[in-house]
Amino acid sequence: MKVVYLDNNATTRTAPEVVEAMLPYFTDLYGNPSSMHLFGGQLAKPLNRAREEVAALIGADPSEIVFTSCGTESDNAAIWGVLHSYPQKRHIITTRVEHPAVGNLVTYLSKKGYKVTLLPVDREGLLKPEQLAEAITDETALVSIMWANNETGVLFPIETLAHIAKSRGVLFHTDAVQAVGKIPIDLSRVPVDLLSFSGHKLHAPKGIGVLYIRKGTPFTPFIIGGHQEKGRRGGTENVPYIIGLGKACEMARKHLVEENRRIRKLRDKLEEGILQSIPRVIINGSRKERLGNTLSISFEYVEGESILMHLSNLGICASSGSACTSGSLEPSHVLRAMGVPFTAAHGSIRFSLSVYNTEEDIDYVLEHLPSVIRRLREISPFWEKGESARSA
Amino acid sequence: MWEYSDKVKAYFENPPNVGEVENPDGIGEVGSLACGDALRLTFKLDEQKRIKEAKFQTFGCASAIASSAALTELIIGKTLEEAEKITNKDIAAYLGGLPKEKMHCSVLGEQALAAAIAHYRGQTLPKAQEGEIVCECFGVTDKEIERVIRQNRLKTREEVTNYTKAGGGCESCHGKIEEILKRILNEEARPSGPPVASGRPLTNIQKMKLIEETLEREIRPALKADGGDIDLIDIEGNRVLVALRGSCSSCRAAEVTLKDYVETKLREFVSPEITVEEVKP
């Protein structure tokens, strides 16, 4: 069956070049870099090169890169690492729209006695930097704010926010899982202290993540063990995956600007096409401050899971902020924080593109999506003859 | 991805009986856009008062659409008395089962049927809306929760949420749901042996003894499980004066415990005339 994969904010295809770069490190070069023999020792060079590539993608020094197992580990390591370094400070500031890797962690911390401030967002999913300035107190240990939202693609002004935290002497962490590889990032200019990202969102495999720790940042390791990663993260280096991530970062850096222009064009074509062919749809999130690959769109009076099931039967892969898809009973916390009405939140669909998407993919979706929505609206009690039949 | 049965998938993809019956005899509307699923059921009866035609319109996930379609298939050809006996379990079974998190879709179907039958009979309140709201987020009442617990023999709060949605939002009603569950589970755990209030006249001594026995056997264990206890202070005719101890004495639900639980038990096992009053220390 034809597959049109438009769920790249969930995960991406591992690039064939990445797989190829990794393979020798499973077969021939399987040593442990810590070993006191040449067979293991010969891995130091390729590992350093990979670390340099990762650092180069985000404008960091290679010594500031710590390899982890995933984005969630990086987020946890960053937050715990700072809190343990400042045991007397018991306040954390974050937002209402974070990924669960941060959101559920701070909920846990609040139950353990930490004070947590959740900054609100407006109807477009944007937050006001002054609200961060107002929230910082002498008790604040850490500010953690995502760079790009996974559901809507909305971008936060991380440079401005990081400057505010810095001017108040508070450490700043950003969950940049959706941003790295999609927008240019230069940490020599943006004063964040810690940044998390994940390999599988930029065509490296699942199981490799990165925590950037700026030189001089107080940090207590989250995983305590061997001396690896300069004592900042114990555990034998995942050599093939690190090599793969290095390759993926190299590719992202070289093609980022050009590819993103092409992806943005495809996304815009999809968005325009839907707006023109389907009535009663709402774009979720700022259309200006937004990743070029993401489209969160709500179809009123129909439910997201039903849309996804029909799309899936057509080979189209997307995701939804509807309650029914997650097993929870309430729609996405991001859409609710933005004040998207329930009528629209339940029918929200996220399309997220990657370098592997083509014009044909978008045409295929635009060819089939209108009839899917029409069929479901014909069943819906709230829909009659192209309009809302009765009030909610 | 949910593991839907082939029948759920088929009924979702090509549902029978979509739409609205012309000049319907019964109309049932349940759910809302805000809740994430809503069902409008219409039916028409023939001369023999059997359901000749039934159609649905549903806003919801795949299993909500499939459950609605299954409901229409189940009721067509039945009298209202027969249709009334259809429960959410029948709907789920007809579809070859539903994922446990989706059982509320089958309950929605049962509710719509009850609402449509009530509408036909000129009753305004479908049974799901009687009682007091327990879950504010999804507007679920204590009566509805109790009915679904009993009908499906639910044992945990999670199951109650899966079947009724109650407690699936802000979660602030979890305590109330647990109370309802505990009350019903305690009732069902009751041994069937002991004598039940039979209306035979009791001497005062017999009554006192029976009250003490009932407190000991039926009531104390449940209260103790929550860190509380109960003392019998006095008996004046059919007025039973008690004092709540331990965590019960400071529990805000104590009034409910006394009336709904202690009094119910004593009426059941001693005499239907019994009233229970709390003596404050």
Side-chain angles (χ1 to χ4, degrees), chain A residues 38-56:
Chain A
L38 262 178
F39 185 66
Q42 66 181 334
L43 297 173
K45 238 186 200 160
L47 277 180
N48 284 341
R49 258 204 314 279
R51 201 180 294 275
E52 282 163 14
E53 280 300 344
V54 172

Side-chain angles (χ1 to χ4, degrees), chain B residues 112-128:
Chain B
L113 175 61
I117 293 176
H119 171 261
Y120 169 73
R121 290 177 175 157
Q123 299 158 342
T124 41
L125 259 188
K127 59 186 173 183

Side-chain angles (χ1 to χ4, degrees), chain A residues 99-135:
Chain A
H99 185 275
V102 171
N104 283 346
L105 174 56
V106 297
T107 303
Y108 171 82
L109 289 168
S110 72
K111 286 182 186 148
K112 293 285 165 190
Y114 280 88
K115 194 169 167 264
V116 175
T117 302
L118 298 175
L119 300 176
V121 295
D122 64 15
R123 188 66 176 76
E124 297 220 288
L126 301 168
L127 66 80
K128 294 186 181 62
E130 2 6 318
Q131 285 179 317
L132 172 60
E134 285 159 21

Side-chain angles (χ1 to χ4, degrees), chain A residues 305-306 313 324 346 375 379, chain B residues 2 4 13 34 57-58 60 102:
Chain A
E305 186 203 293
S306 294
N313 289 341
C324 288
H346 283 297
R375 278 177 70 189
I379 299 179
Chain B
W2 300 108
Y4 285 131
E13 280 157 29
Q57 290 169 295
T58 292
K102 296 285 190 179

Side-chain angles (χ1 to χ4, degrees), chain B residues 259-273:
Chain B
K259 287 290 166 196
D260 281 12
Y261 189 53
V262 179
E263 195 173 274
T264 309
K265 288 282 175 203
L266 290 176
R267 284 180 176 181
E268 191 177 351
F269 287 95
V270 183
S271 153
E273 266 86 48

Side-chain angles (χ1 to χ4, degrees), chain B residues 25-42:
Chain B
D25 290 316
I27 303 171
E29 284 179 325
V30 290
S32 73
L33 271 176
C35 290
D37 44 24
L39 166 51
R40 180 177 155 91
L41 175 74
T42 51

